[in-house]
Amino acid sequence: MAAQYWREAERHWQLGRLAQARTGFERLLKVSEWIVPARVRLARIALQEGSLREASMHALAAAEVPESEAAVLEALCGLLIQLGEIEVALDIACAPALSQSDAPETLAALGRMFCEQAMPEVALPFLLRARAQGLDDARIHYFTGLARLYCGQLDAAEQDLEACLVREPLHAACHRRLSVLRRATADENHVQRLRAVLALAGESHPDAPPLLYALFKELDDLDDRAAAWDALERGMRQRRAQVRHDAMAEQALFDQLHRSVPMDGANDGALASGPSPIFIIGQPRSGTTLLERILAGSPEVEDAGELRDFGFQMRHACDLIGPPHPDAALIRHAQDVDHDALGQRYLARTQWRARGRRFYTDKLPTNFLLVGNIARALPQARFLHMVRDPMDVCFSNLKELFADAYPHSYDMQDMAAHYRRYRDLMPRWHRLFPGRILDVQYADLVVSPEATARRVLEFCGIDWVDGIMQMDARQGRIATASSVQLREPIHARHLGGWKRYAAQLHPLCDALSDFL
């Protein structure tokens, strides 16, 4: 009878009859072996109806119920990640039904899931077990290579990525990863292969942009600037056609940020106990990962990476479903939420990342948009604001292909407009929260790294330790676009890098003239 109830409820759900589906799945909450799948479906219905809190309630309730079916646990794990309940999802993933599963597709799905969450050390065992169970397609080799790349296992990553291309020669993302794995030389590069794949696929192919960005990177390494720029320009044009950038919505977001947060902005709540977050903010490609790597050299600091948790908890506080990045509606609704409760929810879902240390980093660059809310919710939090030369940071964004973020970064005028909005916003945060934001110049960090690091540590209340600057000898994951270059010693090679393409970047230079 329970199976029949499930089939009926599923049919209603598939047909979009949410009220009838809800009634059917709620009936199954009284049948022990159907509780978890029913809760997962009820959470999905709640999300479709726009209730984030109800969805979280069902997902967390499901996590409390014993379940042995691997496919059900995989679905629950994905749901929890979507809702920002990462720690609970990790607990589910460690359940024997998953960690010891012999279902290769389930294992591969979990591996991809945690790889996409910048947790390659969690993803890799699932991916390797899936391969041991016989899975041998392009996807499994790609994600295994990606996880190994993030873990710093570059030789093994290269082997996996090449194995992916054997199985799927047009795997554009794989070609892109191989292009950034090492610096191209006259003797070792992929230029001819990339050109051949592009010719075969055609530039109208949806996967042309990653191939063009890969080609730019390798030609740039080889100092063939004219051909490199041609590839980048074509890549940006193709990507711009694929990604919608709503400049009016972005302006509305910044307008709302300037209106929100009262000028007295302070939170009089008591300081929370336990590890404290250090927020590293700024533009992408401004040196945030480099700064995090330096901080991670202290035994007092755990580098937690780019966390989306504060945005998740703001949406939960507002019970507002929306895009992964802040928008004007979220900022407007969050104006009147209980910021003490918001801070406690954030800490409850992130302090485990500190692994027993006094501090942990949260280096999602776009948290610069949420400084007002973060500062009000977390009186103990400090902000390290990475500041890089306008042309260098904008060009660095333009030449980076982002997965699902920063739609302004595929056009020079859009990039310049976004940068101007960012620069206009940061002084407001300094005025509202004096003494809580330290501007860290990228140039200072790479030219005088020790002196700059000492200033940063003093600001954060962290003691200096010998060896903190020896980053090239440090192991660990770096799950960002800088994953390869940040395993090198600190250097200043990228200062003024935009000047190599000064003629082509003239429109960007004109648009940023006020800041130069």
Side-chain angles (χ1 to χ4, degrees):
M1 184 63 71
Q4 181 180 342
Y5 290 158
W6 175 266
R7 287 192 295 272
E8 291 175 356
E10 276 282 282
R11 186 172 65 256
H12 287 307
W13 185 57
Q14 295 291 341
L15 293 172
R17 298 194 289 255
L18 300 187
Q20 296 95 320
R22 179 193 296 275
T23 299
F25 290 126
E26 285 176 344
R27 181 185 299 177
L28 289 165
L29 295 179
K30 300 176 182 178
V31 184
S32 59
E33 63 267 31
W34 290 93
I35 292 176
V36 176
R39 289 280 189 195
V40 170
R41 282 290 186 260
L42 288 167
R44 293 294 181 195
I45 290 171
L47 287 173
Q48 286 182 264
E49 293 179 334
S51 179
L52 190 58
R53 292 178 186 169
E54 183 183 342
S56 296
M57 179 274 292
H58 282 299
L60 292 172
E64 295 292 326
V65 178
E67 174 61 55
S68 60
E69 181 61 45
V72 173
L73 289 174
E74 175 209 326
L76 176 58
C77 201
L79 176 64
L80 289 163
I81 288 174
Q82 181 182 350
L83 294 168
E85 298 290 351
I86 311 298
E87 185 180 18
V88 182
L90 278 171
D91 289 341
I92 296 294
C94 292
L98 285 183
S99 62
Q100 299 173 21
S101 171
D102 58 3
E105 289 292 345
T106 295
L107 292 164
L110 288 162
R112 293 193 297 270
M113 201 180 294
F114 284 106
C115 204
E116 290 166 353
Q117 289 299 308
M119 293 181 174
E121 70 284 1
V122 178
L124 198 52
F126 285 112
L127 296 166
L128 294 177
R129 186 171 175 83
R131 285 169 57 169
Q133 296 297 323
L135 194 60
D136 189 36
D137 61 12
R139 294 173 304 154
I140 193 67
H141 288 282
Y142 172 72
F143 280 102
T144 306
L146 185 59
R148 283 178 162 151
L149 170 61
Y150 287 161
C151 289
Q153 303 170 17
L154 302 189
D155 291 339
E158 186 172 29
Q159 293 175 11
D160 287 319
L161 294 172
E162 290 290 354
C164 169
L165 292 182
V166 169
R167 291 153 180 81
E168 189 177 331
L170 295 184
H171 196 297
C174 188
H175 284 287
R176 171 69 176 149
R177 295 296 177 182
L178 280 165
S179 75
V180 301
L181 190 63
R182 307 185 193 280
R183 186 173 181 82
T185 67
D187 295 328
E188 294 187 33
N189 63 76
H190 309 99
V191 170
Q192 291 305 116
R193 182 168 71 178
L194 286 166
R195 284 174 167 159
V197 173
L198 272 165
L200 183 62
E203 288 198 22
S204 62
H205 193 281
D207 284 341
L211 297 170
L212 288 163
Y213 277 78
L215 183 59
F216 162 77
K217 192 272 178 186
E218 300 216 8
L219 291 168
D220 184 54
D221 286 347
L222 297 171
D223 204 30
D224 188 348
R225 301 182 198 181
W229 179 263
D230 177 68
L232 178 60
E233 192 171 46
R234 287 184 289 150
M236 288 193 297
R237 185 169 58 249
Q238 293 289 339
R239 185 63 172 158
R240 161 53 68 239
Q242 294 177 349
V243 177
R244 178 175 178 267
H245 172 55
D246 190 336
M248 293 182 63
E250 181 175 276
Q251 185 62 58
L253 165 61
F254 279 83
D255 289 344
Q256 186 65 48
L257 287 166
H258 281 282
R259 289 193 297 268
S260 298
V261 186
M263 289 303 295
D264 62 5
N267 182 346
D268 296 327
L271 294 179
S273 60
S276 295
I278 299 171
F279 289 87
I280 303 175
I281 60 174
Q283 287 292 286
R285 313 294 294 155
S286 63
T288 55
T289 307
L290 173 59
L291 182 56
E292 182 183 51
R293 289 285 284 170
I294 291 173
L295 286 170
S298 167
E300 298 185 76
V301 182
E302 180 69 21
D303 53 336
E306 298 187 356
L307 309 184
R308 298 187 181 275
D309 293 77
F310 199 87
F312 275 133
Q313 299 318 317
M314 279 183 65
R315 290 202 175 277
H316 185 277
C318 301
D319 199 16
L320 184 69
I321 292 173
H325 295 287
D327 57 8
L330 176 62
I331 302 302
R332 185 171 59 253
H333 281 81
Q335 180 69 19
D336 299 319
V337 302
D338 182 339
H339 277 76
D340 286 338
L342 173 58
Q344 290 299 323
R345 279 191 63 86
Y346 169 85
L347 292 174
R349 283 154 180 80
T350 58
Q351 284 184 324
W352 63 273
R353 295 181 182 269
R355 303 179 190 275
R357 301 186 178 190
R358 286 181 60 208
F359 300 96
Y360 59 103
T361 54
D362 183 336
K363 65 159 287 284
L364 187 66
T366 51
N367 274 336
F368 82 85
L369 296 165
L370 303 180
V371 167
N373 297 97
I374 296 170
R376 293 171 66 191
L378 300 167
Q380 75 275 41
R382 294 295 179 266
F383 300 88
L384 302 174
H385 172 217
M386 284 301 306
V387 181
R388 190 177 178 188
D389 173 84
M391 287 297 295
D392 271 341
V393 75
C394 287
F395 178 49
S396 191
N397 274 262
L398 289 170
K399 66 181 182 178
E400 182 62 47
L401 180 65
F402 297 104
D404 60 351
Y406 318 125
H408 56 266
S409 66
Y410 304 111
D411 175 87
M412 281 191 262
Q413 296 303 321
D414 289 342
M415 184 71 238
H418 174 83
Y419 183 83
R420 296 179 71 88
R421 294 178 182 118
Y422 147 74
R423 282 290 295 266
D424 288 343
L425 179 64
M426 288 309 301
R428 175 171 172 77
W429 299 144
H430 276 287
R431 290 194 303 271
L432 282 169
F433 307 104
R436 294 186 61 182
I437 305 170
L438 178 68
D439 289 341
V440 182
Q441 298 290 334
Y442 174 81
D444 293 342
L445 195 60
V446 297
V447 173
S448 304
E450 182 171 326
T452 306
R454 286 183 181 274
R455 184 166 66 94
V456 168
L457 292 172
E458 182 180 0
F459 175 80
C460 296
I462 300 169
D463 293 331
W464 177 267
V465 293
D466 292 337
I468 198 170
M469 307 303 298
Q470 296 175 1
M471 290 178 19
D472 54 319
R474 197 172 303 156
Q475 301 300 311
R477 56 164 173 73
I478 309 176
T480 74
S482 308
S483 58
V484 174
Q485 68 190 65
L486 284 173
R487 298 188 187 279
E488 306 171 347
I490 296 174
H491 59 78
R493 289 200 305 269
H494 298 301
L495 291 179
W498 72 273
K499 295 177 183 177
R500 288 163 47 78
Y501 297 93
Q504 296 92 334
L505 291 169
H506 186 69
L508 178 65
C509 194
D510 284 348
L512 296 176
S513 58
D514 292 354
F515 302 108
L516 303 178

